[in-house]
């Protein structure tokens, strides 16, 4: 995949972020209004969850747009990591709101509310769950189409929101059967889920920004390199993330009897082999001579 295609994919990924933003604005407003009107702590917590998702989706949108900026004097490798930085920022915002939801829900439990929420909150929660499920299906399909880590993360957030809404409905229905405490307890579960989602996003973003990389993926790169004719062994291989793509540094061993042009051709074949993998953006290949007879002995 060439660089222009990657930029085009980032542009296409904006569509998924915009759809998520619109859905979250409408659904969070609906949940908060109905939640306060019906007296449902769980639905209000779910609405707060969606409110944080607005911020997270805006951060993804900004990150996708910044990542499209070409390399310049200050960023000679480009701006690919912008979407990862945006995800890191959104994780802090989500954590803050998650803690706020937990505090309000725990306070409600100790206050001992005796009133069960109105049934309109049940239908609101079910409607919102169905909407978020379809948004999830759309974003997942888009993420697979353009190989976007950011859009796939948004899709996972979408399906978790659908599950949260179903959980809120369970708590509300339970409160209708003489268990009013079940509604705020469900709100606590929602708050914990918000905090967990924030932690997962923070963990992945910080792992990428600190140049962490999946070991199994590196092993698959190594296996692909060894399939290239003329490569005797892989001496060293490293990789780091640039947005949804990877940059690979590899040292290969080639027969010491080869001339410079032949060795260079092998290095070019290694580069082309890895670039055929959709997640690899750039490959830096260094080759060293090796005595093949000693390797075989």
């Amino acid at each position: 995949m060439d660089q222009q295609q990657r930029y085009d994919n980032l542009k296409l990924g904006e569509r998924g972020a915009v759809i998520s933003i619109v859905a979250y604005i409408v659904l969070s407003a609906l949940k908060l209004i109905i939640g306060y009107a019906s007296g449902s702590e769980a639905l209000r917590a779910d609405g707060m969850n969606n409110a944080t998702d607005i911020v997270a989706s805006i951060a993804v949108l900004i990150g996708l747009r910044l990542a499209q900026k070409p390399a310049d004097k200050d960023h000679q490798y480009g701006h690919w990591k912008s979407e990862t930085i945006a995800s890191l920022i959104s994780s802090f915002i989500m954590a803050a709101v998650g803690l706020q939801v937990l505090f309000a829900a725990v306070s409600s439990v100790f206050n001992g509310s005796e009133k069960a929420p109105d049934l309109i909150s049940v239908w609101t929660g079910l409607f919102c769950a169905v909407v978020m499920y379809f948004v999830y299906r759309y974003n997942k399909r888009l993420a697979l189409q353009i190989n976007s880590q950011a859009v796939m993360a948004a899709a996972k957030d979408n399906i978790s929101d659908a599950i949260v809404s179903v959980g809120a409905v369970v708590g509300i229905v339970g409160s209708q059967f003489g268990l009013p405490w079940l509604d705020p307890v469900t709100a606590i579960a929602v708050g914990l889920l918000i905090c967990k989602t924030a932690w997962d996003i923070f963990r992945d973003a910080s792992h990428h920004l600190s140049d962490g990389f999946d070991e199994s993926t590196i092993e698959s790169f190594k296996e692909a390199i060894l399939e290239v004719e003329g490569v005797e062994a892989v001496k060293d291989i490293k990789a780091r993330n640039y947005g949804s793509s990877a940059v690979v540094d590899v040292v290969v061993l080639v027969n010491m009897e080869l001339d410079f042009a032949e060795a260079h051709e092998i290095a070019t074949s290694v580069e082309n082999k890895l670039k055929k993998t959709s997640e690899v953006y750039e490959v830096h290949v260094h080759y060293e001579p090796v005595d093949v007879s000693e390797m075989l002995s």
Side-chain angles (χ1 to χ4, degrees):
M1 184 185 299
D2 59 25
Q3 183 165 304
Q4 184 57 49
Q5 182 63 46
R6 294 184 186 278
Y7 284 128
D8 291 342
N9 283 348
L10 288 172
K11 189 70 177 177
L12 189 59
E14 292 181 18
R15 185 186 303 170
V18 170
I19 289 176
S20 292
I21 291 170
V22 172
Y24 284 136
I25 289 175
V26 174
L27 297 185
S28 64
L30 181 63
K31 289 175 183 177
L32 289 172
I33 292 171
I34 300 298
Y36 280 105
S38 64
S40 172
E41 191 70 35
L43 195 62
R44 289 201 296 268
D46 194 10
M48 290 295 292
N49 177 34
N50 287 161
T52 65
D53 292 325
I54 296 172
V55 179
S57 296
I58 291 175
V60 169
L61 179 61
I62 293 173
L64 288 169
R65 289 190 174 179
L66 289 177
Q68 295 174 48
K69 295 177 62 177
D72 53 31
K73 185 184 297 184
D74 294 333
H75 302 83
Q76 297 186 19
Y77 290 98
H79 297 76
W80 302 104
K81 289 189 175 183
S82 296
E83 55 179 307
T84 310
I85 294 173
S87 296
L88 187 67
I89 294 172
S90 68
S91 71
F92 294 136
I93 298 171
M94 292 181 69
V97 175
L99 292 173
Q100 180 183 352
V101 169
L102 279 174
F103 178 78
V106 170
S107 298
S108 179
V109 169
F110 285 107
N111 287 337
S113 174
E114 297 294 333
K115 184 179 178 181
D118 193 273
L119 278 177
I120 190 175
S121 59
V122 173
W123 299 113
T124 302
L126 288 175
F127 169 75
C128 293
V130 171
V131 172
M132 286 315 306
Y133 175 74
F134 282 107
V135 174
Y136 153 74
R137 291 289 300 272
Y138 176 83
N139 277 337
K140 182 181 179 181
R141 184 170 63 251
L142 179 61
L144 293 174
Q145 176 186 341
I146 66 176
N147 188 38
S148 172
Q149 181 184 18
V151 178
M152 182 59 77
K156 291 179 179 179
D157 192 29
N158 297 149
I159 191 61
S160 70
D161 291 325
I163 295 171
V164 166
S165 293
V166 172
V169 168
V170 171
I172 298 167
V173 171
S175 68
Q176 302 294 321
F177 293 92
L179 301 173
W181 52 267
L182 191 57
D183 181 66
V185 167
T186 303
I188 292 176
V190 171
L192 290 173
L193 184 58
I194 296 173
C195 291
K196 182 185 182 301
T197 303
W199 166 252
D200 290 341
I201 294 174
F202 170 80
R203 182 188 58 197
D204 292 342
S206 59
H207 184 252
H208 285 182
L209 291 173
S210 59
D211 286 342
F213 202 84
D214 181 63
E215 293 181 1
S216 61
T217 304
I218 290 181
E219 189 62 31
S220 69
F221 291 161
K222 183 177 180 180
E223 292 174 359
I225 293 170
L226 291 173
E227 293 175 358
V228 176
E229 185 177 357
V231 174
E232 303 298 337
V234 176
K235 182 178 180 180
D236 188 31
I237 182 170
K238 303 182 184 71
R240 56 194 185 277
N241 290 289
Y242 271 75
S244 299
S245 303
V247 174
V248 182
D249 299 297
V250 59
V251 179
V252 297
L253 302 180
V254 299
N255 194 327
M256 61 185 299
E257 297 180 359
L258 297 177
D259 59 32
F260 174 81
E262 291 173 320
H264 181 73
E265 183 63 29
I266 293 173
T268 301
S269 297
V270 169
E271 180 179 349
N272 292 336
K273 176 84 172 181
L274 290 184
K275 281 189 173 181
K276 288 181 180 179
T277 305
S278 59
E279 67 263 25
V280 176
Y281 167 65
E282 190 60 81
V283 183
H284 303 131
V285 184
H286 175 73
Y287 51 88
E288 295 181 0
V290 65
D291 190 335
V292 177
S293 60
E294 289 185 1
M295 293 182 63
L296 297 176
S297 61

